[in-house]
Amino acid sequence: MNLGDLAPGPLAGALSRGLAFRCGPFVIRLRTRLPIMWRAMAALYADAPVADPDAFIDYDVDMRPRRRWVRPTAVFCLDGRAALEPLPLAQAPALFEWGLNWAVVETCQDTLIFHAAVLARDGQALVLPGQPGAGKSTLTVALVAAGWALLSDELALVDTATGLVAGLPRPVSLKGPSIAIAGRLLPRGTFGPCIPETSKGAMCHLRVPPELTQAEPARPTRVVFPCFTPGAAAQCLPLPKGQAFMRLAEQSFTYHALGRAGFEVAARLIDGSETADLVFGDAAAAADLLSTQALPAEAVA
Amino acid sequence: MGDTATAALALADGVVRHDWDGEAVVYVEASGDTHLYDPALTLVLDALPGAGGDLVGWAARARTALGAPQGFETWFPAAVARLRRDGVVVEQAGLDRTAEGGA
């Protein structure tokens, strides 16, 4: 049974008591009495399987209200402890997603984690590391619309033993103009509540239909650094592997914990991948470029 | 790789190097128990042509971008540097560790 199989009333009741569900390799138990979270979960996690009652809980999350009348806020609690700064109640769905990111990064210290989107086609993974504003999420939606499977929008979890990237298909986080663009690119997607005035501007999360996601791990073969540039034609530029390594390290969350092992795993990832920069002004054109053309060969120094 | 860089790296413990055509990256491990400034790490970096002790907390910035709160401590258990064929460092970064401090 998935969360979407529960009618709104029973789903709200289950979430109020605490409902465990599967998300990629993790089991999350969410307890919340916030109606905005009930709506967000119904929209964004409808495809998440309800976990067995005796399943091991990786993340025990409580989204609590704080202050009822004067500027009410939501608090993200992990294992009973407030983990992040409270945010206005209307931003609770964003706080939940950010809190999960934080929890995964804090607890998966034996996994090499990058701030990157991951998509796969024909069993091969495309890794898109990127700073906020690089156009990563919009490009991710465009690639899904072009036939790629979504493994993750925010976190690339690289198994240090196998080098494979795990599937963690959670809602895609969209900001500002990207929200409308993503809606046009993927009309089959489902938006969660619109969240105004976050620290990143207006936000909305998009659930990608389950048939367009992939939970199975995939081997990374391309590492592409997107760079959204208004008006620019989509173009892949060669990127030497040393530079790609440094850029990838910049986007790592757990490299510090893995130390030398993290260095070696990242180096192997770059060894086994083609690397490039991708400049684009139109996400659909960039997705088409990545779907139909090989990356440019690296110029030998 | 240049003589100076090779000598510096050969002398240091906790140094790993990975070569690609025309350039290399090195991993330099610090003592692990210092805060913000690590003499051993700085010694190695200072010996590399073009390098210096100015380490940047990249992961802290990335965490902030993901919504983590401010007020986290940062320190540097290691650094990475990219070297040209002649051993000159053209890019470096501290691998910072952030710990819960202000949540």
Side-chain angles (χ1 to χ4, degrees):
Chain A
M1 180 173 68
N2 296 339
L3 264 63
D5 296 326
L6 295 168
L11 177 62
L15 286 168
S16 298
R17 293 187 298 274
L19 177 60
F21 59 94
R22 294 196 171 275
C23 182
F26 305 117
V27 174
I28 300 160
R29 180 165 59 203
L30 173 62
R31 190 181 303 104
T32 182
R33 294 180 181 277
L34 300 176
I36 191 171
M37 283 304 303
W38 300 341
R39 293 196 299 275
M41 295 304 292
L44 298 173
Y45 286 86
D47 307 312
V50 175
D52 297 332
D54 56 350
F56 179 82
I57 306 296
D58 294 288
Y59 302 114
D60 194 9
V61 177
D62 198 344
M63 294 290 297
R64 298 177 185 163
R66 196 181 74 160
R67 292 197 301 254
R68 189 170 178 184
W69 303 112
V70 182
R71 283 182 291 181
T73 56
V75 182
F76 178 94
C77 298
L78 184 68
D79 294 330
R81 289 185 58 211
L84 299 177
E85 294 291 335
L87 288 177
L89 215 50
Q91 298 181 20
L95 180 63
F96 176 67
E97 296 298 333
W98 291 334
L100 278 186
N101 290 338
W102 175 83
V104 170
V105 167
E106 284 297 308
T107 58
C108 294
Q109 301 266 311
D110 57 346
T111 303
L112 188 57
I113 303 178
F114 297 105
H115 183 208
V118 187
L119 300 110
R121 198 174 62 169
D122 302 327
Q124 299 186 331
L126 163 67
V127 180
L128 301 170
Q131 298 280 9
K136 180 167 53 69
S137 292
T138 318
L139 179 58
T140 294
V141 174
L143 284 162
V144 169
W148 294 70
L150 174 70
L151 271 79
S152 180
D153 171 50
E154 287 273 26
L155 301 175
L157 278 62
V158 182
D159 186 306
T160 53
T162 65
L164 300 178
V165 187
L168 184 60
R170 288 167 48 206
V172 178
S173 171
L174 297 157
K175 297 175 278 292
S178 298
I179 299 169
I181 295 170
R184 287 195 296 272
L185 287 168
L186 196 65
R188 293 163 62 194
T190 304
F191 282 106
C194 187
I195 308 164
E197 298 176 3
T198 72
S199 59
K200 304 180 180 189
M203 283 189 70
C204 206
H205 293 88
L206 178 71
R207 172 167 59 92
V208 171
E211 63 274 17
L212 305 180
T213 68
Q214 179 174 324
E216 298 76 30
R219 183 161 301 285
T221 57
R222 289 204 267 180
V223 179
V224 174
F225 295 83
C227 179
F228 172 71
T229 306
Q235 186 182 12
C236 277
L237 305 169
L239 180 66
K241 295 207 170 195
Q243 289 181 44
F245 177 95
M246 295 297 282
R247 298 250 205 102
L248 195 61
E250 184 179 350
Q251 298 298 328
S252 170
F253 294 113
T254 54
Y255 199 170
H256 61 271
L258 292 165
R260 178 176 179 160
F263 175 88
E264 289 166 347
V265 172
R268 282 201 301 273
L269 193 160
I270 292 293
D271 265 344
S273 301
E274 297 176 286
T275 56
D277 277 317
L278 170 63
V279 178
F280 69 98
D282 178 78
D288 183 59
L289 184 70
L290 288 173
S291 302
T292 58
Q293 295 186 26
L295 297 184
E298 178 189 333
V300 176
Chain B
M1 189 174 290
D3 290 344
T4 311
T6 303
L9 294 176
L11 284 172
D13 289 331
V15 173
V16 190
R17 197 176 106 194
H18 194 96
D19 285 89
W20 286 287
D21 189 21
E23 58 182 1
V25 289
V26 292
Y27 171 84
V28 186
E29 201 159 87
S31 59
D33 59 358
T34 55
H35 184 74
L36 290 177
Y37 174 77
D38 188 296
L41 183 63
T42 303
L43 191 68
V44 175
L45 287 174
D46 282 348
L48 297 175
D54 180 23
L55 303 176
V56 180
W58 275 339
R61 290 209 307 267
R63 276 166 185 253
T64 302
L66 275 183
Q70 301 293 328
F72 277 53
E73 286 187 19
T74 298
W75 68 96
F76 300 98
V80 286
R82 182 166 65 86
L83 285 69
R84 278 195 324 228
R85 189 191 299 271
D86 60 3
V88 172
V89 172
V90 289
E91 193 177 356
Q92 70 174 54
L95 297 178
D96 62 337
R97 168 175 291 175
T98 46
E100 188 176 348

